Amino acid sequence: MQILGISAFYHDSAAALVRDGDIVAAAQEERFTRKKHDSRFPAHAVEFCLAQAGARLTDLDYVVFYDKPFLKFERLLETYIAFAPAGLRSFQMAIPLWVREKLFQKSLLHDELKRLGEFDWMNRLLFAEHHQSHAASAFYPSPFDEALILTMDGVGEWATTSVGLGRGNHLEIIKEIHFPHSLGLLYSAFTYYTGFKVNSGEYKLMGLAPYGTPRYTQKILDHIIDLKPDGSFHLNLDYFNYCTGLTMTNRKFDALFEGPPRKPDQLLTQHHMDLAASVQEVLEEVILRMTRSLASETGSKNLCLAGGVALNCVANGKILRDGRFERIWIQPASGDAGGALGAALAAYHLFQNQPRQICGCGDRMHGSYLGPEFSQTDIQQRLTKLGAKYEVLDESELLEKCVDALMDEKALGWFQGRMEFGPRALGARSILADPRSPRMQSILNLKVKFRESFRPFAPSVMREHVAEWFDLDSDSPYMLLVADVVESRRKLMTPEQQKLFGIEKLNVPRSDIPAVTHVDYSARVQTVHRETNPRYHALIERFNQRTGCPVIVNTSFNVRGEPIVGTPEDAFRCFMGTGIEVLAVGNCLLRKEDQDPKLSQDYKSSFELD
C-alpha cells in the first residue's frame, strides 16, 4: 500500500510517501523552490517523492491532507463572531481568501494534483486532523510500542495542545487545549515583541534567552498566563491581538513590558534578552508541569513529542533530565512539514488498520535522511556545467583533506547523501568547522551565515563519546536536546568576565570546544551514528584520531533567509557567495582559491531576511 501525505497552504509545505508503513521519501517544498517556508502546494516535493518511490499518482492507494479546512474555517468564523465588532479589518482580509481558496481545498488539491497526473479523487483523497497528523508523525516512527504523545503548537483546527496515547497501531487523542489559549502563540507573541519574525524566529528567541535574566517571569505568570498545577493554562487575551488583529500583541502588552515592540533593525538590548529568558522559563515551567502530571496520570514510561513547540530543544532537555519518562522521542520535522508524514502514517495505520513494525535497531525515520540524493556522475556533470574546479578523491583521501581544512580553521561545506527532512542539518547538507577554535563562532555567523552574532552553533559528536563531553548519555540524532558541557571540559569565567554585558560574554571561551558552547555552558547536541550516516561518522572519527576531539561544529548549509541547499548547484552558489573556503560534494573537493573569481556573487542580499 502506497500513501502520499501533503501539508500545504499555511507555512512549510511538504510531501511524504509511505509504502507498507515504511517511510520512502519526505521533503519540504522550500528546498526545491528556494523560497523559505514556502506555503504553496508542494508540487516539486510530490514529484520527488513519486520519483523516489518509482511510482505514479495512479499507483497510490490514497493521498492524505494533514488537516481539515472546514473545521479551521469554523474556528475562524467563531473567533470573529466572539470578538465582534473588533477585528473588522482582519476579517475583511481573511474571509475573501478563505472563500476564494482555502474553504474549497478539496477542489484546490484536486486541481493541483491533476496537473501531475490522473487519480481516482472521489475515493482516494482523505483528510486527517492537524494534531492527529502531528501525533502520528511522532508515535508511528518512534521505537516505542506504547507511548504518551504530547503535541504543542500555535493552532491546528481548534487544538493548540493535545495529549494522545499510542499502542501498537492504535492512536487516540484523549485531551486538548483549544484556541485561543496556546503555548505556541504565547512564545510567538514574545518572538514578535522582541523583533523577530513569527513562525520562523522562535528559535532565535530561544538562542537569545541565555544572555538574559528571567526578571519578567513572575509578571508573565501574574498577568499573561493562568497556569494550573497540572500544566493546563489560560491566556489573558486582554494583552494579545492575534485573534482578530494584524499583530501578535497590543498596547496593553507594550505598557506591561515597558515599551513598544522592537523593530527588526533595532539593536538588541538587555531588556530584550531578559524578556527572552523570562518567556523561555515560563514555557519550560508549563511543559514540566504538564509532563509530570501526565506521567503520573497515565503511568507511561515513554514520551513522544511533536508540534512546533517540540523544536524548543532547551525545554526538551529539561524534560529528559526531569526523569519522569524513561525514554523520549521527538519527531525531527515537528512543525507543519512533518504533518505530511503524519497524515500518511495515520492513513496507513489508523484509517486502514494496518499493522505496525517496531524497529529493533532504533526508530523508523532512517536518520531523517529522506530527501533527494545525487550520484557521483551527476554531481560531476552539474559542477562542470557551472564552471567549477574540483578534484575527485576516494573516500579516505576526501576525509583526510576535509580534516586538514577543519584543523586549518576553515569553513567546510559538506554535501553528502540524501537531504535531511526537517529544519535541522544533520550532516548531509551542513557547514562544518573546528569547535576548538575560539574565533569560529564569530567567523561563521558574520562571514558565512550573515546572521546575528549572538546565535549559537551545534556540536555533532560521535554517539560513543557523547558522555565524555556533555551531560547526556542517550541518543540525540536529530539535534533536539540541549545538554551542558561536562564540568571537566569547561573554563570558568573570571569575576571581571562575569560583569560583561549580554552579548559581550560571547567572546569569552567557556570550554575546550568554545565554538559550540553557549554562554550558559549548554549545547544543542547531535549524536552521530555509524548506522545512519557512515561517511559523516567516519569524518568525525578521523578528526578525533588527529585531534583527540570527537566533536565538530555543524550548522545548516545556507545563509540567513535561505532554505538549506538542495542541489549541487545550490551548494556551489552558496560556496561562491560566502566565506566557505572548502566544499565537499560527494567525492568532489573544491577549494575557493581554485575557482574563477568571475563566478563569485553578492550572496548576502540574495534572500529575504527571516
Side-chain angles (χ1 to χ4, degrees), residues 239-260:
Y239 291 91
F240 299 99
N241 202 30
Y242 59 74
C243 286
T244 57
L246 302 177
T247 59
M248 292 298 296
T249 59
N250 58 25
R251 290 181 181 177
K252 190 168 183 178
F253 192 100
D254 298 351
L256 184 65
F257 295 110
E258 305 159 16

Side-chain angles (χ1 to χ4, degrees), residues 180-200:
H181 307 289
S182 166
L183 197 55
L185 291 176
L186 171 68
Y187 206 81
S188 290
F190 279 85
T191 300
Y192 162 81
Y193 187 73
T194 50
F196 303 121
K197 204 171 188 177
V198 172
N199 289 329
S200 67

Side-chain angles (χ1 to χ4, degrees), residues 95-121:
I95 296 303
L97 177 63
W98 268 90
V99 171
R100 186 172 65 250
E101 296 179 10
K102 296 184 179 181
L103 186 57
F104 302 102
Q105 253 165 38
K106 188 170 186 178
S107 297
L108 181 59
L109 286 166
H110 173 274
D111 292 344
E112 291 286 356
L113 284 162
K114 196 172 181 181
R115 301 177 204 275
L116 303 178
E118 293 301 318
F119 191 68
D120 179 9
W121 304 108

Side-chain angles (χ1 to χ4, degrees), residues 521-532:
Y521 295 102
S522 69
R524 178 163 44 97
V525 178
Q526 180 202 3
T527 55
V528 179
H529 303 247
R530 194 189 310 273
E531 298 77 14
T532 54

Side-chain angles (χ1 to χ4, degrees), residues 396-409 434 436 462 465 538-552:
S396 180
E397 290 178 300
L398 179 78
L399 296 181
E400 203 65 40
K401 293 194 176 183
C402 285
V403 170
D404 287 343
L406 294 173
M407 292 177 65
D408 288 341
E409 291 190 295
D434 188 342
R436 303 169 303 157
M462 296 165 66
H465 292 289
L539 175 71
I540 304 174
E541 186 173 38
R542 191 73 58 90
F543 184 76
N544 182 43
Q545 289 167 354
R546 293 180 57 185
T547 66
C549 178
V551 183
I552 59 175

